[in-house]
Amino acid sequence: MKNEELAPHIKDITRALKGKVSEEEIEQELQKWIQKYGVDINQAKRSIVNNLGGDPKELFTPSEKKIKEISGTERNLELKVRIVSINEKDIEVDGEPKKIHYGIFGDETGTIPFTIWETLPEPLDKGDTVHVINSYATTWNDKPQVNVGSRTRMRMLEGDEVPEFKRTSQRCDIRDVREGMSNLIITGRILNVEKKTVQTKNGEKDLYSGIMADETGKIQFSAWHDFGLKEDMVVEVNGGYVRSWRGIPQLSFDDNSTVDILDDGALPPKEQLEESGIMTISQLARRGGAVDAIIDAVMIDIKHGSGLIFRCPECNRVVQKSACRIHGKVDGEPDLRVKGILDDGTGALTVIITREETEEILEYGLDEAMELARDRMDHGVIKEALEDKLIAQPLRLKGNVTCDDYGLMLIASEVKEKKINMEEEARKLLDEVRV
Amino acid sequence: MSMIQREVAWRLFAEEFNQSTMEISGSESERTPSYVVTPLGAMVNRVYMVGVLTETENLGTPEDPMWRARVSDPTGTYFVTAGQYQPGAATTIASLEPPAFVAVVGKSSVYRPDDQTVLTSLRCEYIKEVPERLRDYWILEAARSLKKRLEAMEEALRMEEVSIEEIVKLGYEPDLAKGIEKASEHYSSITLDRYWSMLEDSLRYVLPEYERTPVKTNDEPEIEEEESDLEQMILEVIKEMEEDLDQESGVDYTKLMKEVMDRENISEPEFEEAIKNLRNMGQLYEPDLGSLKRIY
């Protein structure tokens, strides 16, 4: 653990010992327990307080803290914060559906992710300031976060009771952007942008949304302020935050952020960036989805419900044995698609290939597929034909990747055989091995 | 977050897989998968491989088939099985005629007939005949994957104590780091040299100037002109079996292997190596698939 990470813990111990022992001494002591003896931080804190004549319970008495001081072990945490962002999420607890909220708190010392595990007594919105009493902190991916549980109380504050939050910005490649990040500095070229008007709690608002890219990948963005964004512009966004929209992480920024227009040469031209961002499936899993991603992988399975299928004319669901799950016996409408498993050796995901692309793979259309199936009196022939063409085939696919509790799913907008120069690749690898 | 993750299909050379003696058993009730942990730290639940189908055999009955196929890559042979619970794969294996290039997706499995022996195999999920270029492409993928593990393992062996955290800090993925930690605990001595040369040899295998003979993975000298003790013993056993059974068409490969392995404490690769040497020296030939005969 680095020194700055120890600082909040040292403060906790100093407070629990009521200032009887100097911070320097506590730091030495804590270093010894953690580095030399490898004792768990919580255990170490308890033991130190106990050994130096304090009461370990004091470690957990209510304490008002600034965000920067949160160590991730607090059991009884009091905060006055501004809501930087807030999102809703449906989860299941013991088989019961439940609505929770997550987002980012900010104060003048920094920002921190939070999760509210209970139903909100009153709706909270971005920009609201709240007094949080009796929350607790945990760590996730080595970073502290705040949890609002059943024993936590939340009280709305007047807006000016909490100063504007401080952004401690971090520069980030688009490929590494993940849900929950905030205060990002992102450099990207705008591939497309359009103005939309959306309804919010505070009335109608203009939203500028589109896709931007750097050499590592692409991301959807939403600008809640008119920064004069134009297609093909290279911009540096300072103060962006990330939330997921329909299972894909999205960069948002608003009038708290700044946008600088950079020199056109700062990034490769648009055509090149359109093809940027080949991602491995493990990268996609860690990031949680991506827009217009490019994946090189092998199709290793084609699932039931692929090939020639029939859909309910009412709800579009796939019909089995001429019956829709919801609408009973229906005259299904024929369609073609592939539902398969792609695997690139780093991970696996489900891929959906829709009718147009499926027809291209089969090299014939829906009508001919129907005819073939009728001739053979078996709808399975189309699935078999797709297996023949796709399984074990190295492919390059493009499309949006979404992420939910069932894992990753690619909706392919483009499917091509991957072109490989075997000899060149082998020699390149061989050279690397010999070094 | 409880995202359901499908187990990745490892591109793994047969030799590394077959050298594995470590298994992590999963539990059905807790929905944790089983893994075979290779000496280089791959935690393998599923394998994707493309190789040459060399033999198929139904160990079951026509009604209740249990197919076993041998599929070779440049480093060794995978044993691939398909029974009543893999009806699609079993039907395909039954219809395939060796030799053929095949792509296989299978679940790793370990069988321990006794304390010393560990037999690894794949329970086939899918098998399909493919063109040769897909085999070459697979070799590239498997080589890349092997290289990453070798580099990570090399770093790990330099550490005083192998720690997942330290390996991840070097830029390797947490899953690989976990496997490397487990492998370094289990396998007493991990020699990387043979894997490095296996990697080089397999890459040369896809180059046009390369003569396609199987990659050597043992440190033994090339082909010895004189038969070794083991090879002499095998010739002896074949002679006995031929006399006992009065077999015109030669002796059954599997029976021979069993007989030899009963007498001498050797591994299956060692046996295969010896048979290969004898054939190269012109001492043995294969009158039918799966049977061997001495050349007088």
Side-chain angles (χ1 to χ4, degrees):
Chain A
M1 208 178 272
K2 289 193 219 95
N3 274 339
E4 65 251 41
E5 288 171 25
L6 283 180
H9 299 293
I10 293 165
K11 285 222 157 48
D12 284 348
I13 299 169
T14 313
R15 205 183 41 246
L17 290 168
K18 305 203 181 344
K20 279 182 290 194
V21 184
S22 75
E23 285 199 11
E24 290 74 42
E25 208 174 313
I26 289 168
E27 180 174 351
Q28 274 182 15
E29 192 69 12
L30 193 56
Q31 291 276 14
K32 184 179 84 190
W33 280 79
I34 290 178
Q35 251 114 41
K36 192 162 168 214
Y37 294 99
V39 174
D40 165 73
I41 181 81
N42 289 319
Q43 181 61 46
K45 282 164 82 172
R46 264 197 303 279
S47 303
I48 291 169
V49 172
N50 213 5
N51 293 347
L52 295 177
D55 180 356
K57 280 203 201 90
E58 293 284 329
L59 280 169
F60 303 113
T61 52
S63 60
E64 184 172 341
K65 282 197 171 184
K66 293 295 172 203
I67 284 173
K68 209 179 89 189
E69 297 167 337
I70 297 171
S71 62
T73 60
E74 290 81 358
R75 283 284 153 270
N76 196 339
L77 183 63
E78 187 176 340
L79 295 167
K80 282 180 178 159
V81 289
R82 190 179 285 274
I83 291 174
V84 180
S85 72
I86 181 161
N87 312 288
E88 218 173 69
K89 189 177 169 69
D90 292 315
I91 61 165
E92 215 171 84
V93 179
D94 301 327
E96 295 288 317
K98 191 173 179 185
K99 217 175 257 320
I100 63 165
H101 289 81
Y102 67 96
I104 294 157
F105 284 152
D107 68 10
E108 70 273 28
T109 68
T111 57
I112 193 166
F114 70 83
T115 307
I116 301 174
W117 298 99
E118 296 298 321
T119 315
L120 284 175
E122 52 186 316
L124 284 175
D125 212 351
K126 206 177 93 179
D128 285 349
T129 49
V130 283
H131 190 183
V132 184
I133 302 155
N134 212 355
S135 63
Y136 59 99
T138 51
T139 52
W140 197 73
N141 274 351
D142 290 337
K143 298 254 166 40
Q145 62 173 41
V146 176
N147 297 273
V148 172
S150 57
R151 285 165 46 228
T152 311
R153 277 175 295 137
M154 290 174 84
R155 189 169 65 86
M156 296 293 268
L157 295 169
E158 291 301 318
D160 53 7
E161 281 184 68
V162 179
E164 277 300 320
F165 57 90
K166 184 187 170 230
R167 297 176 182 275
T168 38
S169 304
Q170 57 172 130
R171 203 169 272 287
C172 184
D173 284 339
I174 288 178
R175 177 176 53 209
D176 299 326
V177 166
R178 286 181 215 168
E179 184 176 337
M181 284 180 150
S182 62
N183 296 331
L184 293 175
I185 305 177
I186 300 267
T187 304
R189 188 186 286 278
I190 312 268
L191 299 182
N192 58 61
V193 57
E194 61 172 345
K195 184 179 164 181
K196 289 178 192 162
T197 308
V198 292
Q199 287 294 335
T200 71
K201 205 181 89 179
N202 305 318
E204 277 194 355
K205 272 192 108 175
D206 285 343
L207 168 68
Y208 300 83
S209 68
I211 292 174
M212 64 167 81
D214 66 10
E215 289 107 320
T216 69
K218 304 186 188 95
I219 192 158
Q220 276 173 336
F221 67 85
S222 293
W224 294 91
H225 174 82
D226 186 3
F227 292 101
L229 300 176
K230 299 242 156 34
E231 191 178 313
D232 215 19
M233 223 177 225
V234 179
V235 292
E236 184 180 274
V237 177
N238 192 332
Y241 52 93
V242 185
R243 49 176 223 165
S244 271
W245 172 246
R246 291 184 179 155
I248 299 175
Q250 195 180 65
L251 177 71
S252 296
F253 44 103
D254 51 34
D255 41 16
N256 285 320
S257 321
T258 58
V259 172
D260 292 317
I261 298 168
L262 303 187
D263 200 40
D264 188 67
L267 279 177
K270 196 172 162 227
E271 302 71 53
Q272 202 175 321
L273 292 178
E274 297 267 9
E275 297 304 315
S276 79
I278 298 179
M279 288 178 88
T280 66
I281 294 172
S282 78
Q283 278 169 343
L284 283 163
R286 262 174 295 154
R287 189 192 195 209
V291 61
D292 208 15
I294 300 172
I295 301 168
D296 284 343
V298 172
M299 184 82 76
I300 62 167
D301 197 7
I302 288 184
K303 295 279 182 199
H304 283 292
S306 296
L308 183 56
I309 56 163
F310 292 85
R311 292 184 184 278
C312 172
E314 299 284 327
C315 63
N316 216 31
R317 281 190 180 82
V318 176
V319 167
Q320 267 153 19
K321 292 177 184 145
S322 350
C324 168
R325 209 144 46 85
I326 308 293
H327 300 96
K329 208 139 183 85
V330 290
D331 238 349
E333 282 167 7
D335 193 8
L336 288 169
R337 73 147 182 201
V338 178
K339 186 178 171 193
I341 303 291
L342 285 175
D343 189 302
D344 70 352
T346 74
L349 54 71
T350 306
V351 58
I352 301 286
I353 304 174
T354 52
R355 176 164 157 195
E356 202 179 318
E357 294 297 321
T358 306
E359 287 181 331
E360 218 164 282
I361 294 161
L362 287 168
E363 295 172 49
Y364 50 78
L366 180 58
D367 293 343
E368 196 170 327
M370 294 277 284
E371 221 166 281
L372 275 168
R374 218 170 299 141
D375 287 353
R376 297 269 294 274
M377 300 206 301
D378 179 9
H379 292 161
V381 293
I382 309 300
K383 178 171 178 260
E384 279 165 29
L386 286 163
E387 284 179 1
D388 266 358
K389 288 193 184 255
L390 288 174
I391 292 192
Q393 179 63 48
L395 300 169
R396 168 160 294 184
L397 305 99
K398 217 169 156 177
N400 292 347
V401 179
T402 63
C403 176
D404 62 19
D405 292 349
Y406 298 100
L408 295 169
M409 182 182 282
L410 166 72
I411 311 291
S413 59
E414 220 179 278
V415 183
K416 288 204 174 85
E417 251 182 51
K418 199 190 162 201
K419 302 232 171 358
I420 320 125
N421 187 331
M422 217 80 79
E423 206 183 316
E424 197 184 293
E425 299 259 325
R427 281 190 211 286
K428 209 172 84 194
L429 259 179
L430 208 47
D431 283 346
E432 287 170 24
V433 173
R434 284 190 188 122
V435 166
Chain B
M1 202 109 342
S2 63
M3 196 176 87
I4 299 167
Q5 288 218 22
R6 189 186 149 98
E7 287 294 326
V8 66
W10 287 83
R11 280 65 161 166
L12 190 71
F13 286 121
E15 171 73 3
E16 185 184 339
F17 183 65
N18 291 337
Q19 288 299 320
S20 307
T21 56
M22 184 187 187
E23 193 186 10
I24 301 173
S25 301
S27 117
E28 196 94 351
S29 58
E30 284 159 42
R31 287 209 253 159
T32 51
S34 299
Y35 298 98
V36 170
V37 184
T38 73
L40 297 180
M43 281 172 64
V44 183
N45 171 271
R46 177 179 279 125
V47 169
Y48 170 67
M49 69 88 57
V50 186
V52 182
L53 179 77
T54 58
E55 280 173 46
T56 63
E57 189 183 3
N58 185 2
L59 304 173
T61 60
E63 296 76 35
D64 185 14
M66 179 39 126
W67 282 92
R68 191 176 70 168
R70 291 162 169 260
V71 185
S72 297
D73 71 16
T75 73
T77 301
Y78 272 104
F79 283 89
V80 178
T81 62
Q84 54 165 322
Y85 297 111
Q86 300 84 31
T91 313
T92 313
I93 293 176
S95 70
L96 284 168
E97 191 104 10
F101 292 107
V102 290
V104 176
V105 183
K107 289 272 197 177
S108 63
S109 145
V110 169
Y111 174 56
R112 294 172 190 271
D114 56 59
D115 286 351
Q116 270 97 51
T117 328
V118 181
L119 299 174
T120 46
S121 66
L122 296 181
R123 209 165 56 248
C124 193
E125 292 181 307
Y126 195 89
I127 182 165
K128 173 190 178 184
E129 189 166 357
V130 296
E132 184 180 359
R133 68 183 166 84
L134 292 190
R135 195 275 307 265
D136 290 357
Y137 179 73
W138 178 83
I139 290 174
L140 274 185
E141 284 198 286
R144 234 178 246 131
S145 168
L146 170 62
K147 180 164 164 279
K148 198 201 275 171
R149 282 193 300 288
L150 273 168
E151 286 164 353
M153 190 50 102
E154 216 157 57
E155 296 277 6
L157 291 180
R158 266 187 231 125
M159 293 173 186
E160 245 170 68
E161 201 175 328
V162 179
S163 102
I164 298 181
E165 209 175 73
E166 293 295 316
I167 302 170
V168 170
K169 266 192 203 150
L170 293 166
Y172 296 98
E173 280 162 16
D175 286 348
L176 177 57
K178 196 170 143 197
I180 289 205
E181 194 207 32
K182 294 217 179 296
S184 58
E185 277 168 16
H186 174 83
Y187 296 96
S188 49
S189 66
I190 304 168
T191 46
L192 300 185
D193 285 355
R194 57 189 297 235
Y195 289 108
W196 278 114
S197 52
M198 185 173 106
L199 172 58
E200 264 191 66
D201 289 350
S202 54
L203 280 169
R204 277 200 210 96
Y205 198 87
V206 299
L207 295 177
E209 67 267 27
Y210 188 73
E211 251 183 78
R212 289 197 164 172
T213 54
V215 171
K216 297 271 309 172
T217 47
N218 293 342
D219 300 321
E220 292 159 28
E222 280 288 298
I223 299 156
E224 294 160 33
E225 280 310 315
E226 293 256 321
E227 308 97 74
S228 68
D229 290 347
L230 172 64
E231 286 152 13
Q232 265 178 6
M233 192 268 266
I234 291 174
L235 290 175
E236 214 36 55
V237 176
I238 295 176
K239 193 172 158 222
E240 284 171 30
M241 285 171 79
E242 280 176 341
E243 283 164 4
D244 276 2
L245 301 159
D246 192 23
Q247 274 175 336
E248 284 289 308
S249 59
V251 300
D252 183 72
Y253 185 95
T254 321
K255 282 190 191 130
L256 173 66
M257 181 166 74
K258 194 174 171 301
E259 186 63 36
V260 171
M261 283 168 79
D262 278 349
R263 294 192 196 188
E264 195 80 24
N265 183 20
I266 57 161
S267 70
E268 211 169 299
E270 280 173 297
F271 173 78
E272 283 171 9
E273 184 70 22
I275 295 291
K276 200 176 77 193
N277 287 345
L278 286 169
R279 287 176 60 176
N280 285 338
M281 281 186 276
Q283 297 270 21
L284 284 179
Y285 77 108
E286 209 172 4
D288 294 309
L289 191 67
S291 62
L292 290 166
K293 214 167 158 56
R294 286 185 304 152
I295 299 169
Y296 303 100

